[in-house]
Amino acid sequence: MQRLAGGVAAVSVRHGTTDLAMTATALTSVSLRPPMVLFCVHTDARLREALDEVDTWAVSILDADAKVAADRLSSPGRPAIGQLVGVDHSRGPLSGAALVDQAQGWLECRTHWIRTAGDHDVVVGEVLDASLGRTATGALVHYLGRLRPLGDA
């Protein structure tokens, strides 16, 4: 599967006063009417646990310059508190979750359903809001186990 290039996003949730975030390469559009997306999260991830209590979350579709942020949010064993220290972001008006600045676009979503699939859970959410970010920045992709910038078109 590492030979299948995939876009890189940051998924975040605001759980009480704590920001939880993760790098996701398993993010896809599910439906246009209503607009829905899905992502996959490890069953024992802190962010997954938070989704049992919080039903809104955000997606930042990372741009080619966001490798440092993506690496930070995918580091195993990172502390629960301060996950976004050093990652420039703003707060989503609907979800309260972090929107990473280095992104081509953002989504705010409400969980529609969660199902277990092996050691991951599949989370499907309805898109509540979408906005575009910087243009002509290129994309960040995951290929052969590495994050790689992909130039703009």
Side-chain angles (χ1 to χ4, degrees), residues 92-108:
L94 300 176
S95 66
L99 304 174
V100 177
D101 289 352
Q102 290 178 308
Q104 292 196 22
W106 302 273
L107 307 172
E108 289 190 272

Side-chain angles (χ1 to χ4, degrees), residues 93-152:
L94 300 176
S95 66
L99 304 174
V100 177
D101 289 352
Q102 290 178 308
Q104 292 196 22
W106 302 273
L107 307 172
E108 289 190 272
C109 303
R110 180 177 317 283
T111 301
H112 185 66
W113 57 256
I114 301 173
R115 303 283 190 278
T116 299
D119 61 0
H120 279 67
D121 284 350
V122 178
V123 181
V124 172
E126 184 172 353
V127 177
L128 304 173
D129 189 41
S131 56
L132 294 176
R134 303 183 312 165
T135 59
T137 56
L140 189 63
V141 297
H142 186 260
Y143 180 66
L144 293 176
R146 296 183 60 211
L147 297 174
R148 302 166 189 264
L150 182 64
D152 61 330

Side-chain angles (χ1 to χ4, degrees), residues 3 7 9 28 31 34 36-37 44 56 78-79 94 114-115 147 153:
R3 292 184 182 268
T28 192
S31 169
M36 300 178 95
V37 295
D44 66 359
T56 56
R78 65 190 179 283
L94 300 176
I114 301 173
R115 303 283 190 278
L147 297 174

Side-chain angles (χ1 to χ4, degrees), residues 26-49:
L27 172 76
T28 192
S29 173
V30 174
S31 169
L32 293 177
R33 290 190 187 102
M36 300 178 95
V37 295
L38 73 75
F39 73 96
C40 298
V41 58
H42 202 279
T43 56
D44 66 359
R46 290 183 190 109
L47 188 139
R48 170 60 190 96
E49 292 172 9

Side-chain angles (χ1 to χ4, degrees), residues 8-10 22-24 62 66-75 87 100 102 140 147:
V8 181
M22 62 172 255
T23 300
L62 299 179
K67 185 179 182 310
V68 171
D71 282 339
R72 176 168 178 76
L73 298 177
S74 66
S75 300
V87 176
V100 177
Q102 290 178 308
L140 189 63
L147 297 174

